[in-house]
Amino acid sequence: MSETQPSAPARKPRVALLFGGRSGEHAISAATAAGVLGAIDRSAYDVVPVGITRAGRWVVAEDRAERWQITDGRLPEVTADDGAEVVLSLTSGESSLRVLEPGQVPSLLGEVDVVFPLLHGPFGEDGTVQGLLELADVRYVGAGVLASAVGMDKHFMKLVLAGHGLPVGPYEVVRPHEWTADPDACVARIKALGLPLFVKPARAGSSLGITRVDDLADLPAAIEAAREHDPKVVVEAGIEGREIECAVLGGRAGARARASLPGEIVVDDTHAFYDFEAKYLDETHVQLDCPAKLPDAVVDEIRELAVRTFEAVEAEGLSRVDVFVTPDERVIVNEINTMPGFTPFSMYPRMWQASGVSYPELVDELIQLALERPTGLR
């Protein structure tokens, strides 16, 4: 009588962490990767860190969280010296990474089950990498091509949200040809918004290139500062109110997305607003309150609007929705971020921590959501 041979153990899902990139948020992406590298369950997943240099080269990156952290104001950077070049196969069904060594035959790094694109800003969060992963027929964490593109472009984001009946604040858009042809006409149009104004690159994040304007004489310089990051600029009317954030997590098996308890950012007089330095380099002057101290009815409205915003752009996986709560307790949606900062100290995971989901549990849930959904049209 023959004995039954034990079956081979199932292979752990292989997760490629993609970080760095060509945008101005390169260092923040690396810091996000540091958090995930330190939290992901190595007993459940094989991890392949892949860094993208500022020039766009994909390289095998060091699998050590400390290498990618922001330390003493030092911003981490992926360089070509970090490892061998990596390419992703675009053959449907192959889902593999290959290593390119000079003078060598390309070697197989391994099949990838899911990509976690920890990329912020253009060339990563805007649908470009998502499109590449769709072409490669690889599952990935987070929003798809259209939702990523809409979430990245504050102009079209506001159009979509308003089209779904969501409350958004007054704004104007300054397109490149308009500013070049007649800057005075642009200023005259913006003047109707009143003061203060917030001038922003249309397609950048992490508060890069954003200026608060309290005098119209300063508006042209603020627009030029924003144009250093994006030729298209959004100018928003200042809204009196508290800045509140809410984290959204996709639902399993077709269920509706879930919203965390909201959090509030309180910045002292050292900073005019929650700018890049306040976010990442000067935490001593920033207070993060979660859950935010708000009436229960307002909390419920924020959470519902956050999920509706997530649904309006057809986001998947994760998003952070930022709102204003006015003195008369109206809630106005500011924006959605489809790949929010994800270090253990970022608002997105902190809000879920306050809502009962730990950082490692959150990483696991996002990977499971990505593994659950099909590739291609859905």
Side-chain angles (χ1 to χ4, degrees), residues 151-163:
M152 190 80 249
D153 191 314
K154 295 176 177 64
H155 171 206
F156 287 99
M157 175 204 304
K158 291 175 186 295
L159 291 175
V160 169
L161 298 186

Side-chain angles (χ1 to χ4, degrees), residues 10-364:
R11 178 177 66 80
K12 290 186 291 187
R14 182 170 287 118
V15 180
L17 301 184
L18 200 57
F19 63 94
R22 292 169 52 190
S23 85
E25 298 175 77
H26 179 104
I28 308 310
S29 173
T32 291
V36 176
L37 281 171
I40 194 168
D41 184 354
R42 303 301 178 116
S43 68
Y45 304 106
D46 284 331
V47 180
V48 182
V50 177
I52 303 177
T53 70
R54 293 186 185 275
R57 180 188 292 262
W58 293 30
V59 299
V60 179
E62 187 174 356
D63 189 359
R64 189 170 62 88
E66 295 78 9
R67 166 67 178 83
W68 307 111
Q69 291 171 344
I70 296 175
T71 307
D72 298 327
R74 181 193 65 83
L75 299 178
E77 180 174 351
V78 180
T79 71
D81 295 331
D82 278 304
E85 185 174 1
V86 176
V87 293
L88 176 66
S89 171
L90 297 184
T91 302
S92 178
E94 191 168 301
S95 306
S96 62
L97 289 167
R98 294 184 181 276
V99 177
L100 303 182
E101 294 274 17
Q104 303 279 332
V105 175
S107 59
L108 188 66
L109 185 60
E111 182 180 349
V112 173
D113 297 289
V114 62
V115 173
F116 202 147
L118 300 166
L119 298 163
H120 305 305
F123 312 110
E125 190 181 347
D126 58 353
T128 49
V129 163
Q130 289 76 14
L132 174 67
L133 297 173
E134 293 284 355
L135 284 173
D137 201 25
V138 178
R139 289 175 171 83
Y140 56 92
V141 171
V145 176
L146 179 62
S148 296
V150 170
M152 190 80 249
D153 191 314
K154 295 176 177 64
H155 171 206
F156 287 99
M157 175 204 304
K158 291 175 186 295
L159 291 175
V160 169
L161 298 186
H164 281 78
L166 291 158
V168 297
Y171 69 98
E172 288 286 349
V173 178
V174 180
R175 297 169 180 82
H177 66 277
E178 295 172 333
W179 185 248
T180 302
D182 195 344
D184 290 340
C186 295
V187 171
R189 176 160 49 92
I190 293 165
K191 184 177 179 180
L193 293 175
L195 293 170
L197 297 166
F198 286 88
V199 181
K200 304 178 178 182
R203 294 160 292 194
S206 292
S207 300
L208 291 168
I210 297 179
T211 305
R212 175 182 167 129
V213 173
D214 294 291
D215 185 334
L216 279 177
D218 299 327
L219 180 59
I223 290 176
E224 290 294 351
R227 281 166 52 84
E228 292 178 10
H229 298 272
D230 188 342
K232 184 166 75 168
V233 174
V234 170
V235 182
E236 299 173 347
I239 295 174
E240 182 184 359
R242 297 163 63 182
E243 295 185 46
I244 307 295
E245 301 185 349
C246 188
V248 183
L249 184 61
R252 289 283 197 102
R256 200 175 187 215
R258 298 156 279 180
S260 73
L261 293 169
E264 180 173 18
I265 300 160
V266 180
V267 183
D268 69 15
D269 294 338
T270 307
H271 300 272
F273 62 98
Y274 193 41
D275 58 8
F276 182 91
E277 184 179 357
K279 278 186 178 181
Y280 303 109
L281 304 177
D282 190 18
E283 293 181 357
T284 58
H285 295 284
V286 179
Q287 179 179 326
L288 305 175
D289 291 341
C290 190
K293 299 175 180 65
L294 292 164
D296 290 345
V298 177
V299 168
D300 292 343
E301 183 179 1
I302 292 169
R303 297 176 77 180
E304 175 62 19
L305 284 176
V307 172
R308 285 179 57 198
T309 299
F310 186 87
E311 293 170 341
V313 303
E314 298 187 354
E316 296 170 278
L318 73 163
S319 288
R320 193 194 70 236
V321 176
D322 302 344
V323 305
F324 296 107
V325 176
T326 66
D328 59 355
E329 296 185 348
R330 289 183 299 122
V331 181
I332 299 170
V333 178
N334 183 27
E335 64 182 28
I336 182 171
N337 188 317
T338 57
M339 185 52 71
F342 203 80
T343 73
F345 310 105
S346 299
M347 281 297 283
Y348 183 88
R350 286 186 61 175
M351 286 186 284
W352 278 117
Q353 180 77 45
S355 305
V357 182
S358 71
Y359 189 82
E361 289 171 335
L362 191 56
V363 170
D364 180 70

